[in-house]
Amino acid sequence: MGDTNLDGLIETLHAIAAVKFGSFKLKSGQMSPIYIDLRVIVSYPKKMTEVADLMWQTVHGGESKFQHVCGVPYTALPIATCISVKQNIPMLIRRKEGKDYGTKKMVEGHFKVGDKCLIVEDIVTSGSSVLETVQTLNNEGIKVDQAIVLLDREQGGKSSLANHGITLHSVLTLTQVVKTLHRMGKIESSLVEQTEHFIKSNRHDITVPSSIKTSNTDNKKKVFAVCKSYRERSESCQHSLSKKLYSIMETKSTNLALSVDLTKSNDILQIVDTVGPFVCIVKTHVDIVEDFSQSFVNHLSDLAKKHNFILFEDRKFADIGNTVNCQYNNGIFKISSWADIVNVHPVPGEGVIAGIKQTGLSLGRGCLLVAEMSSKGNLATGDYTKAAVKMAENHKDFVIGFICQSRLTDDPNFIHMTPGVKLSSGDDALGQQYSTPEDAVINKGADVIIVGRGIIQATDPVSTAKQYQQAGYNAYLQTLK
Ligand code: S5P
C-alpha cells in the first residue's frame, strides 16, 4: 500500500487522540513520552474499516490462506470483526475469562483441528498478549503462524513471536509514526528523539515471554533473558538475602531446595545434616512437626550455618496484614525469629506482604509470593498470577521472588522457585503434578527446584539428593550455553 495511505492513517490516529505525546506513567512505572490508545477507534466506524482493510492487505496481499481470524481480546475484537465480515473469513473468539473457571469453552465459533487462524491485534509490545491467544487456540488444535498488528512498538514483540514460530506483520511502527508526524510538522524533533530513546532503552527482545507455550515452540529450548551465571545474578539483584542465596548456589554448585516434609524433629535434623551439603535451601512446614521446640529450630539454624544453606518456612500466609503479622511473630513457632524466607499467597492483597514486612524487613528476611501452583486445578493462573507479579514489583525491598511454574519476569530481583519436581514426571494421588529437574529449569525457567518426597522418601536420600543436585545444576549450565 502507498505511503500516502499510511500518512493519512497516522494523521487520523493523531487527530482522534489515539496517539498522544507528553509524559505518561506506564504500568511498569516507567515514564513514556508517547501514549497509544487504539480503543478510541470504535468511535470512528469508517476509520475502523479502513484500518481493517490496511491490516488485511499488509498480511495477505489478497489470497486466502486462513480458515479463521481471531482478535486478541478486547481492543482488536472490532477490527477482527471488520476483517471477518469484509473478507468473509469466519471469526473465532477467544474467551479471556473462561480459563480460570475450569470447564467453560475457551474458543467460540466452529472450527476443525488443524485449521489455520490469523491473529489480529492492535498494538504489540512484548508479544505476550498475542501468545496467550495463540496458546488458547493451540490447545484446541488450531494452528497459528501469522499475526497482524496495526502498530508494532518495536520493543521486542516481533522477535519473541518469531521465537514461537509466528511471523508478525505490522502496518505501522512506532518510529514510523513519530517520524511521519514530525515530517507533517505536528511534533517537535525532540519528541522523535525521546521516543527513539525510549524504544531503545525498553527493548525486551531477548526474552521469550513468560510461561507461554505454543505448539510451535513446545519442543524448542527456551532462552531466558536471565541466562546469567549465579555470580552475575547475585550482582544484579538488590536484596542481601538474594545475593547470599545466589552466592551459595555458585559456591556449592546447587539450585536444589530440600522440602523436608517430615513430622519428627530428629528425622528432620538427621536428613538435613546429611543432605545439607548438596542444597542451597531447606524448606520446612513447621506446623507438621509433632515435637516442635525452640531447641529444634536452634539446631536447624546451626545446620544452616554448618552447611551454608538458607531456611525457608513454607507457611503460605493468606490472611489480613495484622493477622499474618501475629502469625509470623508469635505463637509457638515464632517464625520470624529463625526463617530467612517465608511465602505468602497474594489472595488477600498487598496487606499480606505489608504484614510480614513490618517485622521481616528490619530482620533482613525475604518473602516469596505464591504466584502459581503445581497442583491440578489450582486457581493461581492468568490474571491472578499477573497481579502477583505487580504486587511483587511494589515491594521489591522485601519480596525476593515467586513460587511458580513458569518464568514470570526477567527482573533480576525476583528468584523463581519451582516445586513439583521429581526425577521422573507424573502425578501423585492428591493432585500434585511433577516435572523433571531439566523441564523445571530449562523449560519453566526455574532458578531453584524444590524437591520433597523425591528425596525424603528415597531409599538413599543422600545419593538421591546428589542426583537432583546434578540434574538441576546441569540444566542450569545448559541455559548458559
Ligand atoms: O505449588 C506448590 C507450592 C509449594 S510451596 N506446590 C508445592 O508442592 N509446594 C510445596 O512443595 C509443598 O507444600 C511441598 O512442601 C513441596 C513439594 O513436595 P513434593 O513431596 O511433592 O516434592
Side-chain angles (χ1 to χ4, degrees), residues 226-237 242-243 245-256 280 441 446-449 472-477 479-480:
V226 285
C227 291
K228 291 181 185 162
S229 68
Y230 293 145
R231 194 176 38 75
E232 287 167 308
R233 292 189 212 180
S234 153
E235 280 157 13
S236 48
C237 62
S242 311
K243 286 184 184 295
L245 176 57
Y246 279 129
S247 127
I248 293 173
M249 290 162 76
E250 170 88 13
T251 323
K252 292 174 72 177
S253 301
T254 182
N255 53 17
L256 174 62
C280 56
V441 173
D447 298 313
V448 170
I449 53 170
Y473 194 74
N474 286 341
Y476 149 72
L477 292 177
T479 66
L480 295 179

Side-chain angles (χ1 to χ4, degrees), residues 131-348:
L131 284 173
E132 279 175 20
T133 295
V134 173
Q135 185 179 31
T136 308
L137 295 174
N138 283 170
N139 290 345
E140 304 291 330
I142 301 159
K143 291 188 178 148
V144 178
D145 62 8
Q146 294 187 58
I148 172 70
V149 61
L150 177 60
L151 183 104
D152 178 1
R153 288 191 65 119
E154 302 166 284
Q155 282 166 245
K158 197 176 172 102
S159 55
S160 286
L161 289 169
N163 281 336
H164 286 257
I166 296 158
T167 307
L168 179 73
H169 306 270
S170 58
V171 177
L172 302 169
T173 63
L174 197 48
T175 314
Q176 182 184 10
V177 169
V178 286
K179 284 194 168 157
T180 307
L181 289 173
H182 177 242
R183 180 164 41 79
M184 291 171 171
K186 302 209 180 276
I187 59 170
E188 302 284 314
S189 61
S190 59
L191 259 180
V192 180
E193 279 154 28
Q194 276 177 46
T195 308
E196 283 178 342
H197 175 76
F198 177 81
I199 294 169
K200 264 197 211 119
S201 39
N202 290 285
R203 290 183 65 89
H204 307 286
D205 33 358
I206 41 171
T207 311
V208 172
S210 59
S211 67
I212 297 163
K213 276 194 188 137
T214 62
S215 64
N216 304 335
T217 56
D218 273 354
N219 299 322
K220 282 188 201 161
K221 187 181 148 189
K222 296 280 192 302
V223 184
F224 297 104
V226 285
C227 291
K228 291 181 185 162
S229 68
Y230 293 145
R231 194 176 38 75
E232 287 167 308
R233 292 189 212 180
S234 153
E235 280 157 13
S236 48
C237 62
Q238 301 297 319
H239 199 294
S240 57
L241 196 54
S242 311
K243 286 184 184 295
K244 180 175 172 191
L245 176 57
Y246 279 129
S247 127
I248 293 173
M249 290 162 76
E250 170 88 13
T251 323
K252 292 174 72 177
S253 301
T254 182
N255 53 17
L256 174 62
L258 171 70
S259 183
V260 61
D261 300 342
L262 295 167
T263 54
K264 301 263 187 324
S265 54
N266 276 342
D267 293 347
I268 295 175
L269 296 170
Q270 194 270 330
I271 202 166
V272 168
D273 200 10
T274 50
V275 169
F278 314 107
V279 301
C280 56
I281 290 176
V282 166
K283 180 176 84 63
T284 51
H285 280 292
V286 82
D287 54 359
I288 65 172
V289 180
E290 286 166 5
D291 53 348
F292 179 86
S293 64
Q294 184 58 40
S295 125
F296 163 67
V297 280
N298 292 347
H299 272 114
L300 204 54
S301 303
D302 288 345
L303 290 176
K305 284 197 198 96
K306 176 177 169 191
H307 296 299
N308 194 23
F309 59 74
I310 278 173
L311 278 174
F312 167 14
E313 165 54 24
D314 187 0
R315 174 61 179 76
K316 297 191 185 74
F317 294 99
D319 211 320
I320 61 164
N322 183 59
T323 304
V324 298
N325 183 264
C326 294
Q327 291 170 325
Y328 184 45
N329 296 316
N330 308 309
I332 53 170
F333 302 126
K334 300 188 178 34
I335 296 168
S336 62
S337 71
W338 55 271
D340 301 300
I341 306 175
V342 290
N343 51 0
V344 307
H345 281 298
V347 69

Side-chain angles (χ1 to χ4, degrees), residues 259 261 283 285 314 316 373-374 403 419 432 434 451-453:
S259 183
D261 300 342
K283 180 176 84 63
H285 280 292
D314 187 0
K316 297 191 185 74
M373 292 198 72
S374 58
I403 296 292
Q432 173 70 304
Y434 289 109
V451 181
R453 285 165 288 175

Side-chain angles (χ1 to χ4, degrees), residues 8-9 12-13 16 41 44-53:
L9 172 64
T12 304
L13 292 178
I16 65 174
I41 206 147
Y44 306 88
K46 230 174 142 214
K47 292 294 160 204
M48 191 156 71
T49 49
E50 281 169 29
V51 162
D53 286 349

